[in-house]
Amino acid sequence: MLNVTLRDLEYVIAVESERNFTRAATLAHIAQPALSQAIRRIEGQLGVQLFERTSRQVTPTPAGHLLAADGRRMLREMNATVEAVKQLGTQNPKSIRVHVSEPSLQVPRRALIALRNAFPDTTIEQTTLPQTQVLDQLRSGALTLAIGEAYRDPAIRTTPLTEESVVALLHHTHPLATRATVNPEDLASYPLASIDSTLSGWDRLVERFLAPTRPNWSRSKAFGAASAADLVDDTQTVLICLESIAHDHHARHRTSRSLTPPLSARWYVSWRPQIAGRATLDTLRATFARLDDGPTLAGSDSNRAIPGCERR
């Protein structure tokens, strides 16, 4: 069994970062000769050279780059796990960091209010990250919870939080405003408000609803549903959105119509079991009846985010 310790990883990371043994020794709080010996020992244990050394420079080999990169990740995860272990079983964690795709929407607002009320002495930090970063931050422990889409990953647990109906929001003079309901064939003739994929996978829900017809996306792309609602004021664009969003953005010149066939969207909560404590999840469980101890959606075959949506 290879005996590479966390301290060994710190040595490799320091040398890979500084490209100089003297500066790396200062960074790692070790004497320079001892650091050089440690690197040679690690290379001997692994049977691979980690650094090319000359009298003028130190250059990481591909193996050195790989070990340093993975070592950084391992150290982050270890630090997060140690902190989580300290907090497990406590009713008042020091901080809870929550990613929500759109903090202005009703479901994340309810969740954040519930957490703040349940943990008045805890820092509740809300953040909105690009979707490409959420899974990595859940894995590393930088995030406690993610509310929005579901994620497939062996280390992450995901379960439904609640469910909302999806409707069409449009201007009151829009030709479809005369209909009681609208269907994919109706929508194919009009531009549909598009939401930036950096924020969410909502456009994929719309594409699946319209399939096999391709959406006629609006020229302008909105960064979130709230700003997308403004696009319907051109009297032609339609926004497919959660019913709660349509309700919040109803005005004298805006109206909404049900979809045929009916469409619903699920909100999910995702967490790493070693990071999110029982008390945190119990708070959400009491707030949203759908949250339960059902099986995780994790799977080793995919790490992609999946839209929280389904046809009813």
Side-chain angles (χ1 to χ4, degrees):
M1 180 177 179
L2 296 177
N3 187 25
V4 177
T5 67
L6 294 178
R7 185 60 172 153
D8 289 340
L9 292 177
E10 291 177 343
Y11 295 154
V12 172
I13 291 167
V15 177
E16 191 266 350
S17 175
E18 296 297 327
R19 312 294 173 91
N20 178 282
F21 275 93
T22 301
R23 292 195 300 269
T26 301
L27 182 64
H29 305 290
I30 186 175
Q32 187 270 323
L35 177 60
S36 296
Q37 292 174 7
I39 294 298
R40 285 195 295 269
R41 173 180 53 80
I42 297 167
E43 289 176 326
Q45 290 175 328
L46 297 176
V48 64
Q49 187 172 2
L50 300 175
F51 300 98
E52 297 280 356
R53 306 161 179 84
T54 70
S55 59
R56 309 181 75 175
Q57 65 181 2
V58 177
T59 304
T61 64
H65 279 301
L66 177 61
L67 185 57
D70 281 0
R72 289 187 180 92
R73 175 184 55 79
M74 293 170 65
L75 290 174
R76 285 196 304 268
E77 292 183 354
M78 177 58 70
N79 289 334
T81 299
V82 169
E83 184 60 30
V85 168
K86 292 178 181 178
Q87 295 190 36
L88 277 179
T90 67
Q91 294 299 309
N92 294 292
K94 293 179 182 179
S95 65
I96 299 174
R97 189 165 184 253
V98 186
H99 160 80
V100 293
S101 56
E102 289 202 51
S104 64
L105 302 187
Q106 290 185 12
V107 168
R109 281 161 48 198
R110 284 178 62 195
L112 292 169
I113 289 171
L115 292 172
R116 292 188 181 106
N117 289 339
F119 306 106
D121 299 323
T122 296
T123 300
I124 309 296
E125 181 184 352
Q126 176 268 314
T127 186
T128 299
L129 299 169
Q131 284 298 322
T132 55
Q133 298 180 17
V134 177
L135 192 53
D136 283 343
Q137 294 212 18
L138 283 171
R139 288 195 202 105
S140 70
L143 280 177
T144 311
L145 304 169
I147 295 175
E149 298 190 7
Y151 297 90
R152 291 190 180 275
D153 186 85
I156 303 304
R157 183 162 179 170
T158 294
T159 195
L161 188 64
T162 189
E163 188 172 317
E164 289 193 65
S165 295
V166 177
V167 299
L169 180 69
L170 57 161
H171 196 273
H172 77 97
T173 63
H174 194 286
L176 295 180
T178 60
R179 310 282 185 89
T181 63
V182 295
N183 58 44
E185 291 73 25
D186 298 328
L187 295 168
S189 302
Y190 300 97
L192 298 178
S194 176
I195 297 178
D196 194 309
S197 61
T198 303
L199 186 65
S200 77
W202 187 260
D203 282 3
R204 286 176 286 166
L205 178 151
V206 177
E207 289 172 348
R208 295 204 325 228
F209 178 70
L210 292 183
T213 303
R214 293 179 61 84
N216 174 24
W217 294 118
S218 57
R219 292 184 178 180
S220 299
K221 188 176 289 287
F223 193 72
S227 57
D230 295 334
L231 298 180
V232 308
D233 291 345
D234 67 359
T235 72
Q236 292 298 305
T237 300
V238 179
L239 172 63
I240 305 300
C241 64
L242 298 171
E243 189 171 33
S244 60
I245 295 175
H247 183 269
D248 287 346
H249 289 273
H250 262 203
R252 286 185 302 173
H253 57 285
R254 294 176 185 168
T255 186
S256 63
R257 295 293 180 266
S258 299
L259 299 177
T260 303
L263 182 67
S264 66
R266 281 184 177 179
W267 288 86
Y268 292 89
V269 59
S270 300
W271 71 99
R272 181 180 167 193
Q274 298 92 329
I275 301 301
R278 169 64 63 177
T280 304
L281 296 168
D282 283 346
T283 297
L284 296 180
R285 185 174 292 108
T287 306
F288 300 97
R290 284 195 70 104
L291 182 62
D292 55 33
D293 288 319
T296 178
L297 294 179
S300 58
D301 61 331
S302 174
N303 289 333
R304 63 185 177 86
I306 56 176
C309 60
E310 65 175 13
R311 286 182 188 266
R312 286 203 303 259

